[in-house]
Amino acid sequence: TDRKKFHTAPVGQVFRLRPFHVLVATGGGYAGYRKYEDYKLEQLEKRGIEVPVRLASEWEVALYKSVPTRLLSRAWGRLNQVELPTWLRKPVYSLYIWTFGVNMKEAAVEDLHHYRNLSEFFRRKLKPQARPVCCVHSVISPSDGKILNFGQVKNCEVEQVKGVTYSLESFLGPRISTEEMHFSQAPPGNSFQQQLVTKEGNELYHCVIYLAPGDYHCFHSPTDWTVSHRRHFPGSLMSVNPGVARWIKELFCHNERVVLTGDWKHGFFSLTAVGATNVGSIRIYFDQDLHTNSPSYSKGSYNDFSFISNNNKEGIPMRKGEHLGEFNLGSTIVLIFEAPKDFKFNLKAGQKIRFGEALGSL
């Protein structure tokens, strides 16, 4: 009789499912399942077993997109800015170094206590001698990473990994007006790919470089060229690791990205920084107006900005190896450029590469 009385609410009031919670739980669970599948594929590849391509269906892509990756990426970005107590810095950074195999001997500052927060640690500079820039070859790797694919662009399609393609026009967006470019436009009846090729006898080439979380996060100019235009595509922030790139067709067209276009000595040249989960922040050093991963955006929209003005008729000149931008975490860089038919890549698909090493030359 002395027992306390407990007043309970109906189960429906205590545990009320909302559509958002269902989407997050379902999408998050499926994303975890995909991570496990990716791990199994990586193990098969290490054993030299060819993995058949299985593309995601529309409902699988929609389910993956239901995960609030943009919100999570903004939260991750804010967490990166939190200053860590001095006593906590070494344990936190050491765990990251051990997990992703970071080589701190290459860092300009090796003392882990120097980095006040995760953002500073991710953006650490390298010792000048750590990445010598190749002077012999005309195009170098703009970053550390893994070569996913490279070669000629054919039939207006680009390979993100072997056997999985995406549309060149969907990726770059509509052709930029000739007023913002230094070269003449091809006849309007030609395909989008032919319109990008400005000199007779040239071909269009591409190269895809995946930056893992443990790689050096900054990227540099891959050649001597002039940047005349920036196009920013807001979008999803799905993972871009090789397993997901093999699974989702046109993954790079779904994700947020920043396309820099201009010209080099052989004609058209472009570098695209593709965002990914926890990599909503893409920074271009000379572009103060660029703001990525904004809370709201219209699907399929993009923002254009020209670096050519009345005061600057040429655009932004970039020298080979010059600092260009940075990611918060690992992501992907896609190069699409015009070159003569005798241009040759000095690469193998799947190989590791470091900033400054040769990609190809004439």
Side-chain angles (χ1 to χ4, degrees), residues 320-358:
K320 183 166 65 174
E322 186 178 350
H323 277 85
L324 182 55
E326 63 189 37
F327 294 112
N328 258 358
L329 207 60
S331 193
T332 296
I333 289 178
V334 180
L335 301 179
I336 298 176
F337 57 93
E338 171 185 359
K341 291 182 178 179
D342 56 351
F343 181 88
K344 300 293 183 185
F345 284 102
N346 301 307
L347 303 171
K348 292 181 180 178
Q351 79 171 70
K352 293 288 291 181
I353 197 166
R354 304 202 304 175
F355 155 62
E357 294 178 346

Side-chain angles (χ1 to χ4, degrees), residues 270-292:
S270 74
L271 180 149
T272 302
V274 183
T277 307
N278 293 335
V279 199
S281 174
I282 302 171
R283 183 183 174 194
I284 304 297
Y285 294 137
F286 56 76
D287 189 353
Q288 302 303 316
D289 295 319
L290 175 65
H291 300 286
T292 57

Side-chain angles (χ1 to χ4, degrees), residues 254-284:
H254 288 292
N255 272 16
E256 182 148 5
R257 60 197 182 279
V258 176
V259 182
L260 300 178
T261 54
D263 66 296
W264 70 319
K265 60 183 177 180
H266 298 298
F268 174 81
F269 198 97
S270 74
L271 180 149
T272 302
V274 183
T277 307
N278 293 335
V279 199
S281 174
I282 302 171
R283 183 183 174 194
I284 304 297

